[in-house]
Amino acid sequence: MKTLLSEQQLHDGVQRMAREIAETYADRHLTIIAVLTGSLVLVADLIRLIDLPMRLGVISASSYRGATTTRGELVINAEKMVDIADRDVLLVDDIFDTGHTLVKVMEKMQDHGPTSLRSAVLLRKAARQEVDYTPDFIGFDIPDEFVVGYGLDFEDLYRNLPSLVALEPIDLVQHHAD
Ligand code: 5GP
Ligand code: MG
Ligand code: MG
């Protein structure tokens, strides 16, 4: 495994995102919707750095994919989401890769009539974007590698790693031997 972002770098990036978000929503109430499960660690850190009246809800989006780049069908579940009608809403996800996931979740949320809808992602992969949409807040641009840690998984493992690491082919062999 190769460390791409250390705990300190992640902390600094999240602090910068929090500052930008706090400035954008100054004097307003904010509703944050976390896209499960990958954004959990980011959201936990981020919301404690934003001093605004805030509501927090979750939405789940699963595309059933592993380290490969094949995209499965996206299943969105908004049942546990807090009420976002007439609210300033910020959708938070872990990573913007092709962008299809974020765009589909944003479309689903627009149906609920928020006053405003923006997005924040911890990571964006270079040269992978396939949609005509750019997240409003971006923590880091990273190279096109499969990353885990700080909430991101491979087959539901590694979410608890405190830093962000790139999985290499040798790691995958090892992973399947465990
Ligand atoms: P997109 O729809 O933007 O192509 O894919 C976004 C979703 O794919 C992310 O929310 C994440 O679940 C998954 N994904 C994309 N790239 C990576 C990666 O490098 N590592 C991990 N763990 N998940 C990724
Ligand atoms: Mg995701
Ligand atoms: Mg995943």
Side-chain angles (χ1 to χ4, degrees):
M1 297 205 194
K2 180 179 68 181
T3 301
L4 280 191
L5 295 168
S6 67
E7 280 187 74
Q8 185 63 50
Q9 286 172 309
L10 286 164
H11 177 76
D12 293 347
V14 173
Q15 206 158 44
R16 180 170 37 75
M17 288 174 80
R19 260 198 312 270
E20 290 171 10
I21 292 165
E23 278 167 22
T24 302
Y25 294 96
D27 303 321
R28 302 191 70 88
H29 283 56
L30 175 59
T31 298
I32 289 197
I33 302 295
V35 182
L36 296 176
T37 305
S39 74
L40 278 182
V41 177
L42 167 66
V43 166
D45 284 345
L46 187 66
I47 60 174
R48 288 176 292 169
L49 296 169
I50 300 173
D51 185 17
L52 290 175
M54 187 189 290
R55 293 183 173 85
L56 175 63
V58 297
I59 191 168
S60 80
S62 329
S63 55
Y64 303 105
R65 60 190 262 173
T68 62
T69 53
T70 38
R71 195 164 58 243
E73 194 199 342
L74 186 72
V75 179
I76 297 173
N77 184 339
E79 252 167 50
K80 298 248 170 62
M81 197 170 73
V82 298
D83 191 9
I84 62 168
D86 303 320
R87 296 204 168 129
D88 288 305
V89 177
L90 178 65
L91 184 72
V92 180
D93 204 357
D94 52 2
I95 186 166
F96 186 88
D97 183 12
T98 63
H100 290 291
T101 302
L102 199 67
V103 164
K104 288 202 183 104
V105 176
M106 298 273 288
E107 279 169 8
K108 176 106 182 168
M109 292 182 55
Q110 281 293 6
D111 297 344
H112 295 254
T115 302
S116 68
L117 179 59
R118 293 188 177 86
S119 64
V121 297
L122 179 70
L123 308 166
R124 176 173 63 178
K125 275 192 199 171
R128 290 270 305 163
Q129 185 168 338
E130 289 178 6
V131 295
D132 183 21
Y133 175 80
T134 301
D136 298 278
F137 307 96
I138 298 170
F140 301 91
D141 278 309
I142 60 166
D144 183 14
E145 296 189 66
F146 193 83
V147 292
V148 298
Y150 198 74
L152 289 96
D153 75 306
F154 174 54
E155 295 185 349
D156 298 317
L157 281 170
Y158 310 113
R159 293 194 197 277
N160 58 320
L161 296 181
S163 53
L164 187 82
V165 305
L167 281 189
E168 295 163 294
I170 181 69
D171 299 323
L172 301 183
V173 174
Q174 188 60 42
H175 173 97
H176 287 289
D178 287 339

